[in-house]
Amino acid sequence: MRVRMSAAGDDQGELRIGGWLPPAEPVETDADAQVTQVIPAVRDEQRPPRPVPTHGPDGETVEEPKRRGRRTAVAVAVSVATVAVAVGIPLLMSASDQPKPPDQRVLPAPSAITVSDWPEPSATPTGRPSRPPASRGAVRGAEHATRPPATNRPTDNAAPPPKTTVTLEAEAADLDGWASTRRVDSASGGMVVTRIGYRRSKLTFSTPAVAAAGDYDVVVSYVSDEQRQAEVEVNGRDAGRFEFGSSGGWESVKTMTVRLPLAAGPNIIEFSNSDGWAPDLDRITLTY
């Protein structure tokens, strides 16, 4: 049997039903012409949707086919399984990366302390019990600290040690060369030493022992009617060249303070002048 099918706007085709025959040019007969019928083909988009019955023959409500519910349940199960697998794999991987915990060993319990080892608590102003006694090596309070021995320290109000003042008369010193004495009523002892200088004469004082070495102020009493100079040596070393102004006349005495380096013990102070005359000297006063 052979059925021909065609659709509007399409070429006619053939639909054969029966056993397979080798391709051959069909030969139409009158019998075939009677059976052959053209059936129009219908496209899928032109087919109306198949109605789903909601009521049965007796008017009762008919539920939708259970086939759709089963598909929905299968889809939900597949989604849940997929999420579980996606979440479980990272957790398993992170658990495998965790380091192995160290071995935990149980230490022996400390020895028990009996109540008799502690002193009886004493009441404090706040009502709290006192602390147990400190063990050896603990820091003690200030009342237990060892105080250093007291030392004799000078206080600000302590009086300074007394100083010694020594006055040496020129006429009692060592005169050398042309040096000589003359009478001056205003001078100490009424005498002065004159004609010191020009590299031909000098005057030397010998001081008592000085307690400590250092620079000391020496007050020189002299007489001169003009400005003169004097060279000073201490223990054979040059101590400087000093300028002495006029004292107001050959009968007037004036003082001048010079600072000289003295050694510990006795010292030798020498006055001279290599370029001219030195002033006439009355005395020197040393405080140490």
Side-chain angles (χ1 to χ4, degrees), residues 25 36 38 75 79 158 168 181 199 222 227 233 279:
E25 186 66 25
T36 301
V38 177
S79 301
L168 302 176
T181 61
R199 298 182 182 180
Y222 69 96
Q227 185 174 348
E233 292 183 1

Side-chain angles (χ1 to χ4, degrees), residues 27-103:
V27 179
E28 293 183 1
T29 62
D30 294 337
D32 293 337
Q34 295 178 0
V35 178
T36 301
Q37 184 180 1
V38 177
I39 300 174
V42 181
R43 296 184 178 180
D44 294 337
E45 61 269 10
Q46 293 179 356
R47 295 180 181 177
R50 185 178 180 181
V52 179
T54 59
H55 299 280
D58 300 332
E60 70 275 9
T61 303
V62 180
E63 297 181 358
E64 293 184 358
K66 297 182 180 181
R67 188 174 299 174
R68 180 179 301 176
R70 292 179 180 178
R71 293 179 180 177
T72 304
V74 172
V76 171
V78 172
S79 301
V80 172
T82 304
V83 173
V85 172
V87 175
I89 291 176
L91 292 178
L92 292 176
M93 295 180 64
S94 61
S96 61
D97 294 339
Q98 294 293 333
K100 184 179 180 181
D103 296 337

Side-chain angles (χ1 to χ4, degrees), residues 194-280:
T194 185
R195 302 180 68 180
I196 301 172
Y198 276 107
R199 298 182 182 180
R200 293 183 180 270
S201 58
K202 56 186 179 179
L203 181 63
T204 304
F205 294 91
S206 297
T207 69
V210 178
D215 294 339
Y216 294 87
D217 291 335
V218 178
V219 179
V220 180
S221 300
Y222 69 96
V223 175
S224 179
D225 191 24
E226 60 184 3
Q227 185 174 348
R228 291 188 177 184
Q229 295 180 351
E231 298 173 0
V232 182
E233 292 183 1
V234 178
N235 299 324
R237 295 182 180 181
D238 184 16
R241 188 179 184 89
F242 300 94
E243 195 82 22
F244 292 84
S246 175
S247 64
W250 291 109
E251 300 297 327
S252 300
V253 179
K254 189 176 181 179
T255 60
M256 177 180 174
T257 303
V258 296
R259 194 165 184 82
L260 302 178
L262 302 181
N267 292 267
I268 303 298
I269 302 175
E270 182 182 283
F271 289 84
S272 64
N273 189 352
S274 60
D275 298 333
W277 294 114
D280 296 348

Side-chain angles (χ1 to χ4, degrees), residues 166-176 179-182 188-194 196 202-207 269 281-284:
V166 178
T167 299
L168 302 176
E169 296 291 339
E171 62 272 19
D174 186 9
L175 281 67
D176 181 48
S180 61
T181 61
R182 71 179 183 89
S188 175
M191 300 293 291
V192 296
V193 176
T194 185
I196 301 172
K202 56 186 179 179
L203 181 63
T204 304
F205 294 91
S206 297
T207 69
I269 302 175
L281 299 181
D282 180 16
R283 65 179 181 177
I284 63 173

